């Protein structure tokens, strides 16, 4: 006789923010999966209305303590698009360097303290540190060097304030950046070791049916600009984002869910999508390491996202090192611009995946409209679909075990719930 | 020279800024007549005062401490807390290796993590536990918990929180000056 069963994960662990999971089972059949986000919406888009456009980078940086650079970068690119500002090459390079710092800091934390414990049955990074102190220490040092770079470029450790529409408020000194070179040389080698370590882990045999989405640039690994590409082969300009993707309210979540406008299907963003869609643009050491560990793309196993993060760590250190070595300060640090009534949009690649902003500005430089679509909103529906596919593989009468297995999958997406409300507690109903 | 790290944890949400305000105030008091210099992070404030190497940092989350903790002997953590019915900051000592607290009443509060939040499941106690396992823990930690009442996104801190921050900074300054001889 079939039995109805409900499993609830009331509070997801090792993710940023507060959310829960509600699973309804009819025997071994999954009836429903709902990823609930409890965090109150924070109305940042509303706060921005009427504010001088110069305040946008600093306000949007406060949306997330983990990935402020992604918000700042996307905001300045969108506003520069609206104002018709063409930024000089020096600004582009320094912005890529800033993004390298954020990827290093975010991936370093996620690989070593958030996802790696799952492969060893550890309940936390603390337990992992007891068993693998050397690897965890290495991960924390990698993260630290990402933070150091962010501090130098962003002007301070908290909420970087140096990013400006048209460039930077102040170009950092050559000396301040070049002092980081020895740490980045160490980081490049350490990131390779980390990636080889995570590649040696045992992965669940689980493949998802994803449409992967990421930016793609003709000559560089996707970070702060490019066209939006899909694993289906389709390519669009960023300006067509809202005709291809739309956000929807769902009753069980305070975060909006993004779906394809064509067919209302879900899609997947993040490091695994980037590595799969732009593998040839990874740095030489990242590609060599991928070949050495026999990492094949496209990869549709979400658990292997930890390897993609490792490869991007290598890339970020290698590209960052090159940018540090060749850096020369320039003046003026910020390009002059005139206000005009216009709309502009941009997409960049946050550590967790593609992020999109659109702003409408007035003739006197005020924000009239703002739209911000973070990566977790875009992955949310896909996570629910992937869980529905994953649960039959891990189904057991032990609700706690099932909860742990569900959380294990969810962590592979590195969801940032604070951003998406702009995340997790599991509830399973069994019948 | 003894190494002391003072970290103010906060966010831009109203009274949650008190940790940052305390660090800002301490910098002002330490800067004028000291040999202030920046370390290699270019953004840290490091002072050699009172026979100690004092490093002042503003943090967004307890995990930030992991970037700066190695080699520090004493750690001061300043954070905003909700204390119903009081406007006075509270302070107590914590030994990471033994998890001993100078005030037994704080042990349970720390264990439940209700008072001090974090990100990714890492509250301050988890971070300190991690340092113990990695052998990078400070000998002692002194917590300074500053009361707050309003934590709305992007709001300015309340006047009460500003006053409590100023008073907490004064107490920490005196504590640093006394090289721990003041028992609070």
């Amino acid at each position: 006789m079939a039995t109805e069963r409900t499993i609830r994960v009331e509070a997801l662990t090792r993710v940023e923010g507060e959310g829960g999971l509600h699973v309804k089972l009819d025997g071994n059949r999954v009836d429903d999966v709902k990823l609930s986000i409890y965090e109150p919406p924070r109305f940042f888009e509303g706060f921005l209305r009427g504010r001088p456009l110069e305040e946008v980078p600093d306000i949007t940086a406060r949306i997330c303590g983990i990935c402020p650079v992604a918000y700042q970068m996307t905001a300045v690119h969108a506003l520069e698009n609206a104002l018709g500002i063409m930024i000089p090459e020096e600004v582009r390079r320094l912005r890529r360097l800033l993004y390298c710092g954020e990827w290093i800091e975010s991936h370093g934390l996620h690989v070593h303290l958030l996802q790696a414990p799952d492969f060893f049955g550890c309940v936390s990074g603390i337990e992992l540190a007891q068993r693998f102190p050397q690897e965890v220490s290495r991960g924390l040092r990698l993260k630290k060097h990402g933070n150091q770079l962010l501090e130098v470029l962003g002007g301070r450790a908290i909420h970087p304030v140096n990013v400006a529409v048209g460039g930077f408020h102040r170009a950092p000194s050559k000396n301040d950046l070049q002092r980081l070179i020895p740490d980045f040389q160490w980081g490049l080698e350490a990131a390779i070791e980390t990636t080889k370590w995570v590649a040696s882990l045992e992965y669940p045999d689980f493949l998802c049916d994803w449409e992967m989405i990421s930016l793609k640039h003709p000559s560089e690994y996707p970070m702060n600009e490019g066209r939006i590409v899909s694993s289906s082969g389709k390519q669009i300009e960023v300006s067509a984002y809202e005709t291809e993707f739309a956000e929807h309210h769902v009753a069980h979540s305070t975060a909006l869910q993004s779906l394809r406008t064509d067919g209302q299907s879900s899609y997947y963003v993040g490091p695994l999508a980037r590595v799969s869609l732009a593998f040839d643009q990874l740095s030489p050491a990242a590609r060599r390491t991928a070949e050495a560990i026999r990492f094949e793309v496209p990869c549709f196993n979400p658990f292997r996202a930890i390897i993609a993060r490792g490869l991007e760590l290598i890339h970020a250190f290698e590209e960052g090192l090159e940018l540090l070595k060749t850096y020369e300060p320039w003046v003026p640090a910020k390009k002059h611009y005139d206000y005009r009534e216009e709309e502009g949009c941009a997409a960049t690649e946050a550590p967790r995946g593609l992020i999109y902003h659109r702003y409408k500005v007035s003739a006197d430089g005020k924000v009239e409209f703002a739209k911000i679509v973070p990566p977790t909103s875009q992955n949310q529906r896909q996570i629910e679909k992937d869980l529905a596919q994953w649960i039959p593989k891990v189904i057991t009468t032990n609700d706690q075990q099932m909860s742990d297995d569900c959380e294990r999958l969810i962590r592979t997406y590195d969801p940032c719930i604070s951003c998406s409300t702009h995340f997790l507690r599991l509830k399973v109903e069994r019948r | 020279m003894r190494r002391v790290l003072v970290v103010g944890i906060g966010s831009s949400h109203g009274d949650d800024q008190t940790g940052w305000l305390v660090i800002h105030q301490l910098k002002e008091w330490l800067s004028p007549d000291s040999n202030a210099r920046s370390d290699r992070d270019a953004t840290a404030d490091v002072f050699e005062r009172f026979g100690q190497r004092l490093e002042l940092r503003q943090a967004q989350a307890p995990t930030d401490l992991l970037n700066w903790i190695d080699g520090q002997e004493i750690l001061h953590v300043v954070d905003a807390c909700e204390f119903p019915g009081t406007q006075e900051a509270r302070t107590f000592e914590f030994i990471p290796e033994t998890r001993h607290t100078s005030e037994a009443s704080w042990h349970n509060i720390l264990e439940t993590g209700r008072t001090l939040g974090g990100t990714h499941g890492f509250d301050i106690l988890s971070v300190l536990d991690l340092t113990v396992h990695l052998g990078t823990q400070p000998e002692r930690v002194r917590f300074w918990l500053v009361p707050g009442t309003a934590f709305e996104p992007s709001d300015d801190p309340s006047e009460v929180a500003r006053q409590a921050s100023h008073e907490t900074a004064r107490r920490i300054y005196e504590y640093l000056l006394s090289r721990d001889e003041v028992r609070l």
Side-chain angles (χ1 to χ4, degrees):
Chain A
M1 191 175 78
T3 37
E4 193 176 76
R5 199 168 151 208
T6 301
I7 298 178
R8 293 172 194 268
V9 174
E10 294 293 344
L12 269 177
T13 57
R14 306 209 307 273
V15 298
E16 162 54 22
E18 290 185 15
L21 182 63
H22 183 170
V23 176
K24 205 180 272 187
L25 298 174
D26 187 352
N28 286 345
R29 196 187 73 213
V30 180
D31 268 0
D32 194 25
V33 178
K34 284 192 170 74
L35 187 60
S36 305
I37 289 183
Y38 306 135
E39 291 217 351
R42 295 185 291 154
F43 308 115
F44 272 96
E45 288 141 317
F47 291 151
L48 288 166
R49 283 185 200 161
R51 306 294 286 257
L53 64 90
E54 286 79 7
E55 292 182 7
V56 176
D58 291 344
I59 293 173
T60 53
R62 290 161 192 250
I63 292 175
C64 181
I66 309 299
C67 44
V69 171
Y71 285 92
Q72 286 191 320
M73 287 293 105
T74 321
V76 293
H77 282 285
L79 289 165
E80 287 162 1
N81 177 245
L83 298 171
I85 303 169
M86 299 296 288
I87 56 165
E89 183 59 22
E90 293 89 340
V91 171
R92 273 194 92 252
R93 289 168 61 82
L94 206 60
R95 286 181 178 175
R96 278 188 75 84
L97 184 58
L98 188 58
Y99 234 137
C100 285
E102 183 158 278
W103 281 16
I104 291 168
E105 170 266 322
S106 181
H107 287 355
L109 178 75
H110 190 266
V111 167
H112 296 88
L113 291 182
L114 306 182
Q115 193 180 355
D118 286 332
F119 291 92
F120 300 97
C122 296
V123 296
S124 69
I126 299 165
E127 193 180 331
L128 187 75
Q130 288 176 269
R131 293 173 59 182
F132 297 95
Q134 194 180 329
E135 285 79 3
V136 172
S137 293
R138 181 176 65 208
L140 293 177
R141 187 172 164 195
L142 287 167
K143 174 187 176 305
K144 174 180 177 173
H145 295 326
N147 283 112
Q148 284 175 325
L149 177 59
L150 291 176
E151 288 178 25
V152 172
L153 291 176
R156 61 184 192 183
I158 48 164
H159 299 320
V161 292
N162 195 21
V163 171
V165 177
F168 285 83
H169 290 294
R170 179 186 61 86
S173 77
K174 190 171 180 173
N175 194 36
D176 277 348
L177 284 180
Q178 294 202 328
R179 278 190 299 195
L180 300 173
I181 288 175
D183 290 331
F184 268 62
Q185 288 169 327
W186 173 88
L188 175 55
E189 296 306 316
I192 292 170
E193 288 306 307
T194 284
T195 307
K196 289 180 175 172
W197 176 57
V198 297
S200 70
L201 304 176
E202 197 172 321
Y203 289 88
D205 182 17
F206 179 59
L207 298 177
C208 294
D209 180 23
W210 290 329
E211 180 188 10
M212 293 177 174
I213 299 287
S214 85
L215 287 179
K216 185 151 188 178
H217 187 275
S219 59
E220 58 196 21
Y221 194 70
M223 213 171 256
N224 45 1
E225 60 183 308
R227 286 166 65 86
I228 296 172
V229 300
S230 158
S231 51
S232 70
K234 194 169 180 177
Q235 294 196 18
I236 60 163
E237 295 297 334
V238 171
S239 56
Y241 177 89
E242 291 180 57
T243 60
E244 296 284 332
F245 308 95
E247 292 181 300
H248 302 266
H249 279 289
V250 288
H252 59 276
S253 178
T254 54
L256 299 171
Q257 290 192 355
S258 278
L259 298 172
R260 296 286 256 150
T261 50
D262 175 17
Q264 302 290 296
S265 58
S266 55
Y267 58 99
Y268 176 84
V269 300
L272 203 49
R274 288 193 293 259
V275 168
S276 292
L277 296 170
F279 182 83
D280 291 344
Q281 290 167 324
L282 279 169
S283 71
R287 268 183 283 130
R288 280 196 303 274
T289 306
E291 282 158 20
I293 60 175
R294 298 182 179 177
F295 184 75
E296 293 181 356
V297 292
C299 175
F300 293 92
N301 183 335
F303 295 95
R304 287 182 178 266
I306 193 172
I307 304 176
R309 287 189 176 87
L311 293 170
E312 287 193 339
L313 269 175
I314 300 170
H315 179 97
F317 272 107
E318 194 166 25
E319 180 172 345
L321 193 54
E322 176 63 21
L323 292 166
L324 288 171
K325 285 178 177 172
T326 56
Y327 172 72
E328 291 290 342
W330 75 99
V331 285
K334 192 169 70 173
K335 202 167 173 182
H336 172 79
Y337 53 85
D338 294 314
Y339 295 141
R340 67 181 189 185
E341 190 176 343
E342 191 55 87
E343 273 190 40
C345 64
T348 72
E349 287 285 350
R352 290 155 187 82
L354 189 134
I355 173 171
Y356 170 83
H357 287 206
R358 176 166 61 91
Y359 298 97
K360 184 176 181 188
V361 294
S362 64
D364 62 349
K366 300 278 185 7
V367 175
E368 291 189 335
F369 173 85
K371 182 182 183 70
I372 297 172
V373 187
T376 300
S377 291
Q378 299 182 79
N379 271 342
Q380 219 186 141
R381 179 67 190 123
Q382 189 63 55
I383 296 172
E384 291 177 339
K385 283 184 70 174
D386 295 345
L387 280 164
Q389 205 184 331
W390 172 242
I391 288 165
K393 286 179 173 285
V394 296
I395 204 156
T396 146
T397 53
N398 182 335
D399 283 4
Q400 185 57 51
Q401 183 60 49
M402 274 190 64
S403 296
D404 293 347
D405 285 329
C406 289
E407 283 196 80
R408 192 175 167 206
L409 175 64
I410 291 165
R411 277 192 285 270
T412 68
Y413 306 84
D414 192 14
C416 192
I417 296 166
S418 301
C419 286
S420 65
T421 49
H422 189 104
F423 173 154
L424 195 75
R425 306 175 199 258
L426 172 63
K427 174 184 173 185
V428 179
E429 276 182 35
R430 297 175 191 260
R431 188 167 60 188
Chain B
M1 188 174 287
R2 187 164 66 177
R3 293 184 59 172
V4 180
L5 172 64
V6 187
V7 177
I9 303 175
S11 74
S12 56
H13 304 333
D15 291 353
D16 202 27
Q17 292 169 69
T18 51
W20 298 351
L21 290 174
V22 168
I23 297 298
H24 186 73
Q25 183 64 70
L26 285 171
K27 281 181 190 173
E28 275 190 18
W29 288 339
L30 287 164
S31 290
D33 57 345
S34 68
N35 180 27
R37 61 180 169 82
S38 291
D39 75 358
R40 58 176 312 181
D41 298 330
T43 52
D45 289 278
V46 182
F47 306 89
E48 290 180 6
R49 290 292 302 271
F50 323 131
Q52 303 168 103
R53 180 189 185 277
L54 305 174
E55 186 171 333
L56 306 186
R57 295 277 189 172
Q58 291 177 317
Q60 292 181 102
T63 47
D64 290 344
L65 269 70
L66 294 167
N67 294 332
W68 315 312
I69 201 94
D70 200 4
Q72 306 287 357
E73 293 160 73
I74 297 171
L75 168 66
H76 291 261
V77 176
V78 192
D79 201 357
C81 276
E82 286 186 275
F83 299 130
T86 177
Q87 294 180 4
E88 190 178 330
R90 299 183 184 190
T91 183
F92 63 97
E93 204 163 276
F94 179 77
I95 310 295
E97 201 157 2
T98 61
R99 283 186 155 219
H100 172 76
T101 53
S102 59
E103 290 179 34
S105 60
W106 282 101
H107 186 76
N108 288 339
I109 294 172
L110 280 173
E111 288 287 346
T112 58
R114 284 186 296 111
T115 306
L116 302 168
T119 177
H120 294 99
F122 274 90
D123 59 19
I124 185 70
L125 205 60
S126 303
V127 166
L128 293 173
D129 279 349
L130 183 58
T131 63
V132 170
H133 291 302
L134 297 174
T136 57
Q137 78 278 14
E139 288 167 21
R140 289 184 288 123
V141 180
R142 179 159 282 278
F143 284 96
W144 302 85
L145 304 180
V146 189
T149 54
F151 300 89
E152 292 304 312
S154 298
D155 271 4
D156 288 332
S158 67
E159 191 51 40
V160 170
R162 284 184 191 278
Q163 285 174 13
S165 300
H166 188 274
E167 176 60 16
T168 305
R170 186 193 61 74
R171 292 174 70 190
I172 296 174
Y173 186 86
E174 287 176 0
Y175 193 90
L176 297 172
L177 182 64
S178 74
R179 293 177 48 89
D180 288 354
E181 285 159 16
V182 175
R183 309 308 298 181
L184 296 160

